[in-house]
Amino acid sequence: MTGLFAAGVGIVFALLFDVLSSRAGLSRVASYGVSLAGGAVLSIIAVTVLGEAAPAAFAVAVLAYSAWWFIALNFIQALESSLRVRLVREVMATGGRIPIARLQARYNDRSLLGLRLDRLRNAGAVVEREGRLFVVSPGLRAVAGFFRLLKKVCVGRLSEFESSPA
């Protein structure tokens, strides 16, 4: 029980660290790192302060905290980047009515791809050489590798563009 309580303490502080680091001007990825590391450290400290330094309590705290943080990360990212949320905001900004043609012109595959590529280029994470894009950000490479690994473990393939798993 101590491990779960310690993980709860960690996740509360992780969310606080995320908000504070974002408000301090750190990038989203840096804020996620501060959140993950800060909450993990506080989970471990909480186990120690609560007086149960057994390896099982530490393991429960770390595993529960990691799972909860991953859920929180996905929830936060869904709120920040969801296309549906953006569409609703745009409709609300125009008084609750907007022509469908205007949305279709702005939110087509080509324009969405262009927006994301422009963000990556402007952030210096991706560069273009001889008509090809290259990921130059070590952090972005690590994140992409992590999610490819998760996809391989959970779905059985590295990409949704590969053929179905056997």
Side-chain angles (χ1 to χ4, degrees):
M1 195 63 151
T2 301
L4 288 176
F5 183 77
V9 169
I11 201 68
V12 167
F13 277 97
L15 295 172
L16 179 67
F17 291 151
D18 181 64
V19 170
L20 293 176
S21 57
S22 293
R23 297 235 172 134
L26 290 173
S27 70
R28 286 307 303 145
V29 173
S31 294
Y32 295 149
V34 168
S35 168
L36 175 64
V41 167
L42 284 170
S43 290
I44 292 168
I45 290 171
V47 170
T48 307
V49 168
L50 293 170
E52 191 174 332
F58 283 111
V60 168
V62 169
L63 290 173
Y65 170 75
S66 299
W68 294 344
W69 185 85
F70 188 71
I71 291 167
L73 168 72
N74 284 285
F75 182 72
I76 291 166
Q77 286 195 326
L79 291 175
E80 288 182 348
S81 63
S82 171
L83 183 56
R84 288 177 288 215
V85 172
R86 292 185 77 135
L87 290 171
V88 169
R89 284 184 185 155
E90 191 159 339
V91 171
M92 289 173 58
T94 59
R97 295 178 183 198
I98 193 167
I100 291 174
R102 181 172 161 191
L103 290 175
Q104 288 173 331
R106 183 165 183 181
Y107 294 101
N108 62 52
D109 289 342
R110 184 173 297 270
S111 69
L112 292 174
L113 178 63
L115 285 171
R116 286 177 174 84
L117 286 176
D118 287 345
R119 277 191 223 139
L120 289 169
R121 285 184 186 124
N122 292 338
V126 173
V127 296
E128 185 175 349
R129 296 183 200 127
E130 299 175 12
R132 298 189 70 177
L133 295 172
F134 295 89
V135 178
V136 294
S137 164
L140 186 57
R141 282 184 188 199
V143 169
F146 174 72
F147 281 104
R148 284 175 54 95
L149 175 66
L150 279 179
K151 214 176 252 192
K152 181 68 174 176
V153 169
C154 295
V155 182
R157 56 184 186 231
L158 295 174
S159 169
E160 61 272 20
F161 302 110
E162 288 182 10
S163 61
S164 297

